[in-house]
Amino acid sequence: MKYELIATATFGIEAVVKRELQNLGFKIVKSEDGKITYTGDERAIVRSNLWLRSADRVLLKMGEFRAVTFEELFQQIKGIRWENLIPADGKFTVTGTSVKSVLHSVPACQSIGKKAIVERLKEYYGLETFPETGAEYTVKITILKDNVTVTVDTSGAGLHKRGYRVMDVAAPIKETLAAAMVQLSFWKPGRYLMDPCCGSGTIPIEAAMIGRNIAPGLGRKFACEGWDIIPQSVWKEERKAAFDAIDYDADVRIFASDVEPKAVEAARENAAEAGVDDCIVFKRMNMSHIEAREPSGIIITNPPYGERIGGDGQKDRIYAVYRKFFRENPDWSLFMITTDRDVEEKIFGREADRRRKLYNGRLEVCYYQFHGKKPSGNNG
């Protein structure tokens, strides 16, 4: 059966998620701020959850309509064929958001949505009460300018929860954002990659998983695994295909360091859990000691910034290290995310080759991309 699906994304990386979906072979219906709508069958739901690196969630779209009264909202939601998805023992909750709409009370919309689904299922199954002991279905009612979109979350926990983060540090970057940073750099195996401020190792780990073609969702479970509409055989087939697709022979060479011993310990543990510890060298080191281990390469990093950096003095020291490094190594490229606005002048004395506004949690940041000279056979 064909479904309309929505991959949600953090603002600024919709194009990355769209490209991922296209590479998976899915037909894109439309791309909007924060979401990409596409079509696919039951297998597409499984494959999307297993393989999407930069998306936040995969939603199953159940309906879309306009409503300015609670009665309209009730009747439209009741008119959806919920029995095709939710079994008699299904456990379902209703969440919601409302922006610039007549129906602005989210609790009221949630209550009406729940009542409409219950009434539909009561008529279909001939039951007055439901045990709700089965698989979980999280329904979301999103109202924007009186336009209502009704979806069901197939992912459960956000897709950034890969399952490999066994040790953590303060303010880690989300795995989905780290994966987007790597993909936007167009780094590929065969090129040396370095992160001098690796924290708990998220950027190098995500890069290694990309380099080895490891599906990011292989180590976790999803809400829709218990759904009747997806045969268990499909999950087994897709997981086997994902395991078979891993390229253990890929030329992945990554160096990651941090000044904090606990961060390096966490990074090593996380990389081992992700199955990529053999292609990343971790070292406890002050970034002032970074050196080019190869004639050309790429630095992708999320250095301390804002309140976490410890003042302008420390920031200036970090920039001075980079300024010296890239003056001595013009074939190297830098891809850095930060809230600071003086990166271009203080490191390179020129504008970045590319800039992209992104969000790291709730912080608005800029992803600066400085391309080194292009050695023969390399890009970026």
Side-chain angles (χ1 to χ4, degrees):
M1 184 174 176
K2 288 292 182 182
Y3 298 100
E4 200 163 356
L5 305 170
I6 297 173
T8 63
T10 301
F11 179 82
I13 61 174
E14 295 92 346
V16 179
V17 176
K18 180 180 178 180
R19 187 162 59 240
E20 289 185 40
L21 289 166
Q22 290 172 328
N23 289 340
L24 290 171
F26 302 134
K27 181 181 177 182
I28 306 298
V29 176
K30 59 182 174 179
S31 181
E32 305 167 89
D33 286 349
K35 64 180 184 179
I36 296 88
T37 304
Y38 62 107
T39 56
D41 57 10
E42 295 85 355
R43 192 175 296 273
I45 298 174
V46 176
R47 193 170 295 171
S48 300
N49 277 295
L50 286 175
W51 281 101
L52 286 177
R53 300 184 187 279
S54 300
D56 292 326
R57 294 179 182 279
V58 176
L59 308 177
L60 173 60
K61 185 175 175 181
M62 299 298 293
E64 193 169 31
F65 50 85
R66 183 175 175 83
V68 293
T69 68
F70 288 129
E71 179 63 19
E72 287 179 330
L73 182 68
F74 177 86
Q75 293 298 339
Q76 292 274 20
I77 292 177
K78 185 182 177 185
I80 295 171
R81 295 181 177 179
W82 293 102
E83 65 275 8
N84 290 347
L85 177 67
I86 304 176
D89 66 346
K91 177 184 178 182
F92 60 97
T93 55
V94 179
T95 64
T97 60
S98 180
V99 178
K100 298 178 180 178
S101 300
V102 174
L103 302 178
H104 55 83
S105 172
V106 173
C109 292
Q110 291 175 193
S111 177
I112 288 167
K114 176 86 174 184
K115 181 180 179 182
I117 297 170
V118 168
E119 288 301 312
R120 174 86 186 199
L121 295 179
K122 280 169 64 175
E123 292 177 7
Y124 183 83
Y125 290 114
L127 298 173
E128 284 300 316
T129 59
F130 295 89
E132 297 199 53
T133 55
E136 189 170 341
Y137 302 82
T138 301
V139 180
K140 184 171 184 179
I141 302 169
T142 303
I143 309 176
L144 175 62
K145 296 179 181 178
D146 300 325
N147 293 309
V148 183
T149 304
V150 183
T151 58
V152 182
D153 180 17
T154 74
S155 301
L159 293 181
H160 71 282
K161 293 186 178 294
R162 316 289 206 213
Y164 65 68
R165 196 185 287 277
V166 292
M167 289 187 68
D168 220 335
V169 296
I173 189 172
K174 285 178 71 172
E175 294 85 339
T176 44
L177 178 56
M181 290 172 63
V182 175
Q183 293 184 88
L184 285 168
S185 78
F186 292 98
W187 171 83
K188 288 181 173 57
R191 189 162 194 212
Y192 199 81
L193 187 150
M194 183 161 58
D195 181 1
C197 303
C198 71
S200 57
T202 309
I203 291 174
I205 290 170
E206 289 296 323
M209 292 176 70
I210 289 170
R212 281 194 167 167
N213 199 37
I214 299 174
L218 264 180
R220 55 162 288 174
K221 297 290 186 180
F222 303 95
C224 60
E225 287 195 53
W227 292 6
D228 292 344
I229 65 169
I230 307 175
Q232 286 301 307
S233 59
V234 173
W235 283 102
K236 291 179 181 178
E237 291 164 7
E238 288 298 319
R239 280 205 164 95
K240 182 180 184 303
F243 275 113
D244 292 344
I246 298 174
D247 184 1
Y248 291 104
D249 297 323
D251 180 16
V252 178
R253 287 165 288 136
I254 300 173
F255 178 83
S257 60
D258 200 281
V259 71
E260 294 292 336
K262 288 185 178 179
V264 176
E265 180 187 359
R268 286 196 180 108
E269 291 289 332
N270 294 337
E273 187 69 20
V276 294
D277 53 319
D278 59 330
C279 57
I280 307 174
V281 175
F282 290 103
K283 185 176 181 179
R284 190 263 177 187
M285 187 180 77
N286 190 302
M287 69 166 293
S288 62
H289 297 144
I290 63 171
E291 58 182 0
R293 288 167 168 77
E294 295 196 8
S296 68
I298 181 171
I299 291 178
I300 306 177
T301 190
N302 171 42
Y305 47 77
E307 295 178 359
R308 299 184 298 140
I309 200 167
D312 288 339
Q314 185 179 350
K315 179 178 74 173
D316 289 342
R317 288 192 292 274
I318 290 175
Y319 292 168
V321 169
Y322 280 135
R323 187 165 58 247
K324 180 176 182 292
F325 178 89
F326 287 101
R327 186 168 59 241
E328 296 174 352
N329 302 280
D331 289 342
W332 278 67
S333 299
L334 173 65
F335 293 79
M336 183 169 73
I337 190 172
T338 180
T339 57
D340 296 324
R341 295 293 181 259
D342 52 3
V343 169
E344 296 163 302
E345 179 61 32
K346 292 204 171 184
I347 296 180
F348 288 94
R350 66 174 177 86
E351 290 188 354
D353 294 285
R354 289 185 180 180
R355 283 176 293 184
R356 182 184 289 259
K357 184 169 75 173
L358 301 174
Y359 282 87
N360 187 5
R362 295 184 178 181
L363 281 177
E364 181 183 318
V365 295
C366 186
Y367 188 37
Y368 292 97
Q369 305 174 43
F370 297 95
H371 301 160
K373 294 180 180 178
K374 295 187 177 180
S376 176
N378 284 325
N379 295 315

